[in-house]
Amino acid sequence: MRLLSDAELAQLLDKDIFRKISSAADSLGLECYVVGGYVRDLFLERPSNDIDVVVVGSGIRMAEALKERLGKRARLAVFRTFGTAQVKYGGMEIEFVGARKESYSHDSRKPVVEDGTLEDDQNRRDFTINALAVCLNGARFGELVDPFDGLDDLEDGIIRTPLDPDVTFSDDPLRMLRCIRFAAQLNFFIEDETFDALTRNAARIGIISGERIEEELNKIMMTRTPSRGFVDLHRCGLLARILPELTNLDIVETRNGRAHKNNFYHTLEVLDNVSRNSDNLWLRWAALLHDIGKPKTKRWNNAQGWTFHNHNFVGAKMVPDIFRRLKLPMDAKMKYVRRLVDLHMRPIAIADEVVTDSAVRRLLNDAGDDIDDLMTLCEADITSKNEVRKKQFLENFRIVRSKLHDLKEKDYKRLLQPCIDGTEIMRMFNLKPSREVGELKQYLKDAVLDNRVPNERGPLMALLMEKAGEMGLSQAAGAGGLPV
């Protein structure tokens, strides 16, 4: 973090946009401050194009005055119901709001709003590091207003509420998720009293919409080390209310001296491993959910110990309900996550034995264009403390990747999909869509995937006729199908 004097702040804000805001404020005789995240990020030396401006008076009048100064390139949007306005200009978004004070009812996070002073506005801020304000008026340009020692908290790496944290979180429970998200994003620690208030108020999260929860979870997911955020969510009791399928993994059972691993912390290790190699949000979601089927499939076997057979299949079936509840997209993104959860054991099964061409071809056929992401997930899933076994897995994964590369280079979609399709089979044997058609299609597909025959019409037609004969099917009169 960089400590800045008022003079240095003035120099950093000595840009055309802030000078025009200053000029507009002075011409209207209004106090005007840049506040919140933009100020915080100046000290943290983080780039930001989102600027929040508090006006002691009408934020809409200020926005309109700025628009006049910026000319046609600026775009103004006014939200009179909320008393706010936004100006977009040169890649920047400047939000204007009048200083206000707020009061809340217990069953809603929507406040009753009244006009207020700068002090009132800073009192309603969520955290001390977001309550910093810098004056933009000409006579005080660059002057920092920091009533809650937010600058000290920035320097110490602490997340703390300006006022009583129980009131802050009870008034607007979304702030609890923001608290954990900021700690994860900035690599800060949550102050003890503030964290205790998270625990006391966790039940209040029930009044927050799924859309707002989804937004904060996605931001936590996209941090450098997302496990930090999920550990804090778990410790304070929020995770059990948002994603109980994940907290159900936090158990270790021992029988006859044999214990299984803690699948909650294993999951977070896998998530961090994936995050080091990919910024794909939905691949990170697949990592977070890849083992959620384990509690439902856990069994004790005297010969094998603890088993979780088919947990991938059970977990995949749970994904749509989780996405629906959290208001995550129910489109191709959900299907992608479900597919990776379902398939995540396949590469591991291949890598645990001799890597055969047939197994790799089948894997590529089932995973399709998601194969590289699936391999990234599966490599991240190797968290064994047995270094010899871990090294062997990773070496076998290298062989799998090499074989996959060779198949993709040869146009695997053409190689692995039989050139005789179901439509032709139905025409040849005068069949309607049925079990027999599916069985014949699968027989040809298995032959191609197992590399028993090349994916060519002649050899496949011979296999088809042989299998149809075994099933008692005869070729329809006048139907095509002779090898060419």
Side-chain angles (χ1 to χ4, degrees):
M1 176 190 148
R2 183 181 172 196
L3 290 174
L4 301 169
S5 65
D6 287 356
E8 288 174 311
L9 280 172
Q11 187 175 1
L12 286 172
L13 295 173
D14 190 15
K15 300 175 181 177
D16 181 63
I17 189 66
F18 290 112
R19 287 299 179 184
K20 281 186 166 58
I21 295 172
S22 178
S23 169
D26 287 347
S27 71
L28 294 172
L30 298 172
E31 282 183 60
C32 182
Y33 302 84
V34 57
V35 299
Y38 190 87
V39 180
R40 178 197 69 224
D41 289 343
L42 279 178
F43 287 96
L44 294 176
E45 300 182 85
R46 284 160 43 108
S48 177
N49 287 321
D50 294 334
I51 303 168
D52 291 328
V53 175
V54 165
V55 181
V56 183
S58 172
I60 293 175
R61 284 182 65 202
M62 268 289 305
E64 291 170 340
L66 177 64
K67 169 68 171 70
E68 288 181 10
R69 284 164 168 76
L70 294 175
K72 294 181 179 179
R73 290 178 57 201
R75 295 287 179 268
L76 172 66
V78 175
F79 310 97
R80 296 195 183 276
T81 303
F82 303 101
T84 65
Q86 179 191 75
V87 175
K88 292 186 177 182
Y89 178 76
M92 294 177 290
E93 294 186 3
I94 307 104
E95 300 275 354
F96 290 90
V97 62
R100 60 193 187 183
K101 54 184 176 182
E102 299 175 341
S103 57
Y104 291 81
S105 63
H106 189 72
D107 60 349
S108 172
R109 61 178 292 265
K110 295 180 180 178
V112 176
V113 177
E114 304 174 62
D115 292 341
T117 63
L118 174 66
E119 180 182 4
D120 291 326
D121 204 88
Q122 288 178 299
N123 285 344
R124 73 179 183 85
R125 297 280 160 175
D126 50 8
F127 308 110
T128 60
I129 62 172
N130 293 336
L132 300 165
V134 178
C135 188
L136 295 178
N137 294 98
R140 296 169 54 207
F141 193 84
E143 179 183 310
L144 178 67
V145 183
D146 180 18
F148 305 111
D149 298 322
L151 201 55
D152 289 341
D153 289 343
L154 268 183
E155 190 171 12
D156 294 337
I158 290 174
I159 304 293
R160 180 170 60 90
T161 59
L163 304 176
D164 183 343
D166 283 305
V167 175
T168 297
F169 294 147
S170 180
D171 281 351
D172 184 355
L174 184 65
R175 292 169 176 163
M176 294 189 288
L177 293 181
R178 285 169 56 83
C179 177
I180 290 171
R181 187 251 293 179
F182 278 121
Q185 280 183 331
L186 302 176
N187 200 24
F188 280 18
F189 290 96
I190 301 170
E191 180 252 354
D192 287 347
E193 185 179 348
T194 300
F195 192 90
D196 290 343
L198 291 175
T199 304
R200 289 192 294 269
N201 290 278
R204 292 281 289 155
I205 202 66
I207 71 169
I208 302 299
S209 70
E211 289 85 356
R212 301 308 299 272
I213 291 173
E214 172 212 355
E215 183 180 350
E216 292 300 322
L217 284 180
N218 284 341
K219 288 178 179 178
I220 292 171
M221 193 79 83
M222 291 306 295
T223 58
R224 184 185 297 272
T225 310
S227 63
R228 281 197 52 160
F230 283 97
V231 167
D232 281 344
L233 286 170
H234 187 29
R235 287 175 55 224
C236 72
L238 281 169
L239 191 61
R241 297 175 181 278
I242 296 170
L243 198 50
E245 295 88 350
L246 203 58
T247 58
N248 289 344
L249 296 172
D250 186 15
I251 185 172
V252 175
E253 283 194 71
T254 302
R255 188 174 295 187
N256 294 350
R258 299 170 73 177
H260 61 76
K261 64 188 172 188
N262 185 305
N263 287 300
F264 175 74
Y265 291 101
H266 162 73
T267 291
L268 296 187
E269 186 176 356
V270 174
L271 175 59
D272 284 348
N273 288 344
V274 165
S275 300
R276 279 190 282 271
N277 292 294
S278 175
D279 290 330
N280 180 340
L281 171 63
W282 305 108
L283 179 54
R284 294 185 183 202
W285 269 104
L288 187 71
L289 301 181
H290 80 282
D291 272 352
I292 55 170
K294 281 191 169 179
K296 292 183 178 181
T297 59
K298 184 168 68 174
R299 302 289 185 272
W300 170 260
N301 180 295
N302 286 326
Q304 296 175 283
W306 294 105
T307 65
F308 303 91
H309 295 314
N310 293 322
H311 73 273
N312 53 310
F313 173 73
V314 171
K317 290 178 65 176
M318 296 166 66
V319 168
D321 286 342
I322 291 172
F323 267 55
R324 192 174 293 109
R325 186 179 73 239
L326 294 179
K327 307 301 182 185
L328 289 160
M330 297 297 295
D331 55 13
K333 298 180 179 69
M334 182 278 291
K335 293 177 182 177
Y336 164 89
V337 172
R338 183 177 61 189
R339 186 182 308 114
L340 292 193
V341 172
D342 187 24
L343 293 175
H344 82 269
M345 293 300 293
R346 289 278 296 282
I348 292 174
I350 294 173
D352 200 20
E353 51 193 43
V354 176
V355 180
T356 65
D357 289 349
S358 173
V360 173
R361 291 163 73 90
R362 287 179 173 278
L363 175 64
L364 183 53
N365 175 75
D366 292 342
D369 293 337
D370 298 328
I371 186 63
D372 290 331
D373 289 346
L374 177 62
M375 292 299 295
T376 297
L377 171 61
C378 292
E379 286 169 344
D381 199 15
I382 305 303
T383 61
S384 172
K385 300 301 183 283
N386 183 328
E387 290 301 322
V388 174
R389 182 166 169 76
K390 184 174 181 179
K391 183 178 179 180
Q392 182 61 53
F393 263 118
L394 294 177
E395 172 58 21
N396 281 6
F397 272 135
R398 187 193 64 75
I399 297 171
V400 172
R401 279 192 179 274
S402 176
K403 290 179 179 289
L404 287 169
H405 175 76
D406 290 343
L407 272 174
K408 287 193 288 184
E409 285 288 304
K410 296 174 182 175
D411 185 6
Y412 77 92
K413 290 183 179 178
R414 180 180 58 80
L415 283 173
L416 302 184
Q417 295 299 322
C419 58
I420 300 173
D421 62 15
T423 301
E424 185 171 0
I425 291 172
M426 287 189 288
R427 186 173 65 248
M428 287 176 60
F429 299 101
N430 195 25
L431 294 171
K432 293 181 179 180
S434 59
R435 179 186 60 78
E436 288 86 353
V437 176
E439 188 174 338
L440 289 170
K441 282 176 60 180
Q442 190 62 49
Y443 184 74
L444 296 184
K445 190 169 190 176
D446 288 342
V448 170
L449 293 176
D450 291 338
N451 208 21
R452 298 202 308 268
V453 295
N455 190 3
E456 297 172 1
R457 189 172 180 80
L460 283 176
M461 190 62 72
L463 275 182
L464 175 61
M465 299 306 293
E466 178 184 345
K467 182 64 176 177
E470 292 175 5
M471 295 170 61
L473 298 173
S474 57
Q475 192 170 353
L482 292 176
V484 295

